[in-house]
């Protein structure tokens, strides 16, 4: 009796751009689209050393997509927490206290601390958004470079360059995710 080999489970099957905030969902969709383009490029490469080496880089592509996903999820969590703090109200109260006293509230006051926390979280989200946009562009660039390698025939040096680019992008994505975990 012959048994059919089961296909390995897709490590990215649980990723759902709809599960993160609208602000960060485009980054997740772009990363997933880059992975699809990469797989399409790989499918068009004839068997051989270039195909094998590009196939090995698929794990780095997946790691990059996972890092984008985890960053977007964390950023969405920060965004929800920030919404609960009601940044507009905190800012209005801070500004009203500043106008009433003619100066900034004392740095150690609860109002000043709350305002500073809200501002720090807002900056963190803005930095994360900008970082994801830049890194998604670099991620897509690495996929385009892989297509260039394929168009150039058997260019193992080009594959190595793509691999190096992917290592750098994934490392920077991981750094962005870690920075988001410590917005202070």
């Amino acid at each position: 009796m012959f048994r059919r080999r089961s296909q390995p489970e897709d490590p990215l099957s649980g990723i759902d751009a709809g599960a993160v905030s609208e602000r960060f969902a485009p980054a997740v969709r772009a990363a997933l689209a880059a992975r699809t383009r990469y797989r399409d490029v790989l499918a068009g490469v004839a068997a051989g050393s270039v195909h094998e080496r590009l196939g090995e880089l698929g794990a780095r592509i997946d790691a990059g997509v996972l890092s984008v996903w985890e960053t977007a999820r964390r950023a969405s969590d920060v965004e929800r927490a920030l919404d609960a703090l009601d940044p507009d109200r905190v800012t209005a109260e801070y500004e009203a206290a500043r106008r009433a006293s003619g100066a900034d509230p004392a740095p150690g006051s609860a109002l000043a601390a709350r305002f500073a926390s809200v501002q720090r979280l807002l900056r963190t989200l803005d930095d994360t958004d900008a970082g994801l946009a830049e890194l998604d562009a670099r991620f897509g660039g690495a996929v385009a470079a892989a297509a260039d390698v394929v168009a150039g025939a058997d260019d193992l040096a080009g594959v190595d360059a793509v691999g190096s680019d992917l290592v750098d992008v994934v490392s920077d994505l991981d750094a962005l995710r870690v920075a988001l975990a410590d917005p202070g």
Side-chain angles (χ1 to χ4, degrees), residues 12-80:
L12 306 182
S13 63
I15 293 178
D16 175 14
V20 298
S21 76
E22 288 183 31
R23 180 177 186 175
F24 299 105
V28 174
R29 284 192 293 274
L32 287 168
R35 180 195 195 217
T36 299
R37 285 191 307 276
Y38 188 82
R39 286 181 157 197
D40 291 346
V41 166
L42 185 60
V45 178
S49 57
V50 170
H51 184 273
E52 283 180 35
R53 298 276 292 276
L54 285 173
E56 292 167 2
L57 295 180
R60 289 189 186 146
I61 295 284
D62 288 355
V65 174
L66 281 171
S67 195
V68 168
W69 166 244
E70 290 169 4
T71 302
R73 280 187 26 220
R74 285 186 182 183
S76 295
D77 290 345
V78 169
E79 193 173 57
R80 276 189 293 281

Side-chain angles (χ1 to χ4, degrees), residues 112-129:
R114 190 171 52 163
F115 178 76
S117 291
V118 165
Q119 294 305 306
R120 193 170 35 257
L121 291 171
L122 287 168
R123 279 191 305 276
T124 296
L125 289 175
D126 288 345
D127 292 348
T128 300
D129 200 13

Side-chain angles (χ1 to χ4, degrees), residues 78-151:
V78 169
E79 193 173 57
R80 276 189 293 281
L82 184 62
D83 286 346
L85 295 174
D86 194 358
D88 292 335
R89 184 179 55 82
V90 169
T91 300
E93 289 173 1
Y94 180 82
E95 292 297 326
R98 204 172 99 184
R99 280 191 302 276
S101 69
D104 285 338
S109 75
L111 186 58
R114 190 171 52 163
F115 178 76
S117 291
V118 165
Q119 294 305 306
R120 193 170 35 257
L121 291 171
L122 287 168
R123 279 191 305 276
T124 296
L125 289 175
D126 288 345
D127 292 348
T128 300
D129 200 13
L132 278 174
E134 176 192 340
L135 291 168
D136 259 345
R138 287 177 50 203
F139 197 55
V143 171
D148 281 346
V149 167
V150 170

